[in-house]
Amino acid sequence: GMVFQNPDNQIVSNVVEEDVAFAPENLGVPSEEIRRRVDDALRAVGMYEYRTYAPQLLSGGQKQRVAIAGVLAMQPQCVVLDEPTAMLDPQGRREVLDTIERLNREKGITVILITHHMDEAVRAGRVIAMSEGKIIADGTPQQVFARRARRPTDRAAAAGAPGARRRHPHGRAHARAVRPPAQAVHPGSLNQYPEEEALTPILEIQNLSHIYSPDTPFEHPALTNVDLTIGRGEFVGLIGHTGSGKST
C-alpha cells in the first residue's frame, strides 16, 4: 500500500467510506469484511464520524487521514508512507504514527516511512539516512543520530577550527559544541518598515463568517465572526487543529 504526500492524488470516490472501501472491493474482499475493515480503518485515523461526507468538504489534514484509512483497509503486507503527516496538526501526527506503530507491532505489517521529521524517524526500528541520492547511514536510531551528531565537530577539527575538539584526560576524544550567544528577537524587529508605517493596515476583516454546504446534512461552519487586521510588512502565522478554519 502507498500513501502519498498529497491526498488529492489518491482519493477517487465522492463519499469518504466509499473511498476507503475502493481498494478492498477491487481485491475481492467479501462485503461483510469490507464493512468491518472500513469502519476499523476510519476509527483508527479518527475519521469515522465523517464517513458519509464528501472528500471535497474536508480539510487537507482530514483528507490525508482518509487516504491513510484507504490503505489500512487493504491490510497490506507492506505500507510505504511518503511524508504522510505533512498536512496534519501535532495531535493528528501522533494519532497516525501510533496507528502505524500498532499495525507494525500487532499485525507484522512492514512499514517504510519517508520523513524529514527526526521525532518521527526516531520511532522506527531502523533508520536509513540519505543525501544526494546516496545512503550515508543505516542502523538503529541511536546509532544513526549519534553518528550524525558527531560529524560537524569532526569536520571542524579536521579544518583546524579552534576549540572544536579537545582530548579527554584518559585519551578519548571529546566533542564540545560551540554555540553563538543567544539573542532575544522582538517580533517587531522582523518588520522591514518603520514602526509608524508598519502599523498601517493593508488587510482588515470584520465579522467574517463562512459555512460550507449550508442547509445540507454536511453543513459545517469554517469561520464565525472573525476580526483580523494585518499591518504592512508583518509576518503572520495562523495555527490551529486540522479543520479549525486556517485555510478558509
Side-chain angles (χ1 to χ4, degrees):
M2 179 75 182
V3 179
F4 303 135
Q5 183 173 353
N6 185 350
D8 288 326
N9 291 340
Q10 66 184 115
I11 291 179
V12 297
S13 299
N14 293 325
V15 179
V16 166
E17 63 180 4
E18 292 179 2
D19 189 83
V20 177
F22 180 81
E25 287 176 346
N26 280 276
L27 294 173
V29 177
S31 298
E32 297 80 6
E33 175 67 8
I34 291 177
R35 180 73 265 172
R36 185 187 65 80
R37 288 192 188 186
V38 169
D39 291 346
D40 288 349
L42 287 171
R43 286 192 178 100
V45 298
M47 289 298 294
Y48 181 75
E49 62 184 86
Y50 296 92
R51 61 191 181 280
T52 60
Y53 276 55
Q56 65 265 26
L57 302 178
L58 304 177
S59 69
Q62 290 170 326
K63 289 181 183 178
Q64 185 64 290
R65 295 192 199 192
V66 171
I68 294 172
V71 170
L72 296 183
M74 295 170 59
Q75 295 186 355
Q77 294 180 334
C78 178
V79 179
V80 180
L81 303 109
D82 183 10
E83 305 269 6
T85 63
M87 300 179 68
L88 300 181
D89 57 44
Q91 180 178 342
R93 285 180 59 195
R94 286 192 299 270
E95 291 174 353
V96 168
L97 291 171
D98 288 345
T99 300
I100 294 169
E101 279 189 338
R102 187 171 64 253
L103 291 170
N104 173 252
R105 182 178 62 253
E106 298 178 359
K107 299 183 179 296
I109 296 177
T110 299
V111 175
I112 302 174
L113 174 65
I114 301 165
T115 182
H116 62 266
H117 292 293
M118 297 302 98
D119 60 330
E120 294 182 1
V122 77
R123 299 176 66 158
R126 175 185 175 191
V127 173
I128 300 174
M130 300 189 66
S131 177
E132 298 181 349
K134 297 180 180 180
I135 293 176
I136 58 173
D138 185 348
T140 65
Q142 293 85 352
Q143 292 169 335
V144 171
F145 290 129
R147 175 183 173 186
R148 299 305 298 165
R150 287 194 300 267
R151 284 198 167 189
T153 51
D154 289 345
R155 287 196 297 268
R165 193 173 177 88
R166 61 183 175 86
R167 185 63 53 181
H168 190 275
H170 299 295
R172 296 190 302 273
H174 180 72
R176 177 169 59 89
V178 179
R179 298 183 179 181
Q183 292 182 343
V185 178
H186 189 276
S189 64
L190 296 174
N191 199 315
Q192 60 179 317
Y193 296 99
E195 184 174 355
E196 62 277 3
E197 193 173 348
L199 294 176
T200 303
I202 63 167
L203 175 64
E204 281 189 286
I205 298 172
Q206 292 183 345
N207 299 322
L208 177 62
S209 298
H210 183 70
I211 298 176
Y212 286 109
S213 304
D215 302 321
T216 74
F218 306 109
E219 180 175 307
H220 176 70
L223 298 175
T224 304
N225 297 328
V226 170
D227 294 334
L228 177 66
T229 300
I230 297 179
R232 184 181 183 190
E234 277 195 296
F235 189 134
V236 180
L238 295 177
I239 64 172
H241 288 299
T242 298
S244 60
K246 301 186 299 297
S247 299
T248 307

